[in-house]
Amino acid sequence: MKTFLGIAFAVCLIFPGLGAAAEGKKPTITVEQEKHGDRVFTMVRIAVPTIPGFECDVWCYEDALRQGEGSPQPDGSMIVRHKHPKGAEVETRLVPSVGAVDWYVTVTGPTPEAVKAVTSVNGCWQLRRAPGFQSVKDQFVESFVNQCFIYTARGFTLLKDTERFPDTRRPATHNTNSPPWVQVYLPVWRKHPGQPAAFWGNSTDQPLYSIAGEVSRDMKYLAAWGCKRSNSIGQGWHDCLHIGPDLRLDYDEKTNRTVSHFKMYFMENDPEELLKQYKEDFSIP
């Protein structure tokens, strides 16, 4: 290890531009507070130089946490802090690397009940700023839904090849239900609950892994977001995907803390390589 580090350090001294070049390929992360009526949405914006023109937003968070505060860090990472209504504090640290952004979510609080009340964080990952990934007007299903993917027992699976059911809040004949525009995918470790009384349909195709993404329409690139274990995967209206991470698995009684890890991937269109990287990152056999 010492020899390797010494060689790497020597290379950086001889070719100092190499380090700068790598830094220039990392995603850049900013936070904006978007006001809509009387509500403020904390939006994390990620620009990815390795995919031409690519920017995406994540609403942090679409749940009880609501508005947070972003703090840019000198190393290019971003910290977003939230307060949960039951007393917990949630810190999300986003760390960019070439072709990826790691998310580290730490939950602390005065009591175990306060910490354990944060069972998930519902980030709404929106691709509507990314040319080639965003939906085309009047072609939402064709240009966005059909390009999104999960991994099922059949392997890499585009959502157009899954069984999708109507949003039960509207008639099955409504234009957003024929075919369905939105859908929930329950992972294989959850018993399928059937169809909801008033929400998005529940597909009968169940993901094997907690990762979802979209392939660009020119089929050159893909973007994906994964965690170790999710409660559900959702594909929604705002050119968005939700991975529904289950934070309960990461609660540590000794420290009364929850520390969870998620990861975004931005790469050339190679579903096998993506799954390989995902499994390595989350120690999944």
Side-chain angles (χ1 to χ4, degrees), residues 89-111:
E89 295 187 355
V90 180
E91 179 185 283
T92 304
R93 186 179 184 95
L94 294 86
V95 181
S97 58
V98 177
V101 174
D102 285 281
W103 293 60
Y104 300 97
V105 175
T106 301
V107 185
T108 56
T111 65

Side-chain angles (χ1 to χ4, degrees), residues 77-93:
S77 65
M78 177 69 69
I79 292 177
V80 184
R81 294 183 175 90
H82 290 81
K83 292 185 180 296
H84 191 272
K86 293 191 176 181
E89 295 187 355
V90 180
E91 179 185 283
T92 304
R93 186 179 184 95

Side-chain angles (χ1 to χ4, degrees), residues 193-206:
Q195 299 308 312
F199 197 60
W200 305 352
N202 290 326
S203 175
T204 48
D205 286 280
Q206 296 186 265

Side-chain angles (χ1 to χ4, degrees), residues 26 33 36 51 55 57 61 94 99 110 155 198 239 262 272 275:
K26 289 182 180 181
Q33 305 291 353
H36 298 273
I51 299 180
E55 283 189 346
D57 288 339
Y61 288 104
L94 294 86
D239 298 8
F262 326 139
E272 290 186 7
L275 186 59

Side-chain angles (χ1 to χ4, degrees), residues 11-12 46 92 106 111 140 142 170 196 211 229 270 277 282:
V11 169
C12 288
I46 302 172
T92 304
T106 301
T111 65
F140 183 75
E142 297 84 354
R170 293 172 175 171
I211 184 169
R229 195 171 178 88
D270 189 339
Q277 289 187 27
F282 293 96

